[in-house]
Amino acid sequence: QVQLVESGGGLVHPGGSLRLSCAASGSTFRINAMGWYRQAPGKQRELVARIISSTSTTYADSVKGRFTISRDNAKNTLYLQMNSLKPEDTAVYYCNVVTLGGTYWGQGTQVTVSS
């Protein structure tokens, strides 16, 4: 079992920045990939970014060049640095972890980009 706790969401003006964090606990030694997904009202959940190692990352086209995913293995924490935020980035952001034993989700954190 892996437990995930997200933090860092909030309200920000267009062009602003936020950093999301996801702290993992439990069977963290079994973690393979970690990622961030988001779900806007009335839309399906979509992949934002995924990281397997520092040299293996994947980003949605809509966030390339603006968002950066990273992980601190010593702290079992996943981060998402979001810069140049746009209103269309407004969504609930979910942390996702893939392990040998299954896939786990965080509770979600709201990000609202509005003037």
Side-chain angles (χ1 to χ4, degrees):
Q1 292 284 336
V2 176
Q3 294 77 44
L4 303 171
V5 178
E6 298 136 338
S7 61
L11 173 64
V12 64
H13 293 308
S17 298
L18 282 175
R19 188 176 82 154
L20 305 183
S21 299
C22 174
S25 60
S27 301
T28 57
F29 65 93
R30 304 180 70 185
I31 292 176
N32 291 332
M34 303 183 77
W36 290 96
Y37 286 71
R38 68 186 181 187
Q39 188 167 18
K43 295 188 177 181
Q44 290 188 330
R45 191 172 297 189
E46 63 176 1
L47 174 69
V48 176
R50 181 189 294 124
I51 183 169
I52 297 176
S53 68
S54 60
T55 58
S56 180
T57 57
T58 302
Y59 293 92
D61 288 342
S62 59
V63 307
K64 283 180 181 177
R66 300 189 297 122
F67 291 9
T68 302
I69 190 170
S70 61
R71 60 190 287 186
D72 185 331
N73 291 328
K75 296 181 179 180
N76 294 317
T77 301
L78 178 71
Y79 302 99
L80 184 68
Q81 178 66 43
M82 304 186 294
N83 299 327
S84 302
L85 282 161
K86 304 175 181 181
E88 51 263 43
D89 294 319
T90 295
V92 177
Y93 284 70
Y94 296 91
C95 177
N96 168 272
V97 162
V98 177
T99 77
L100 295 175
T103 299
Y104 300 90
W105 294 90
Q107 79 285 358
T109 185
Q110 177 71 46
V111 171
T112 302
V113 185
S114 175
S115 55

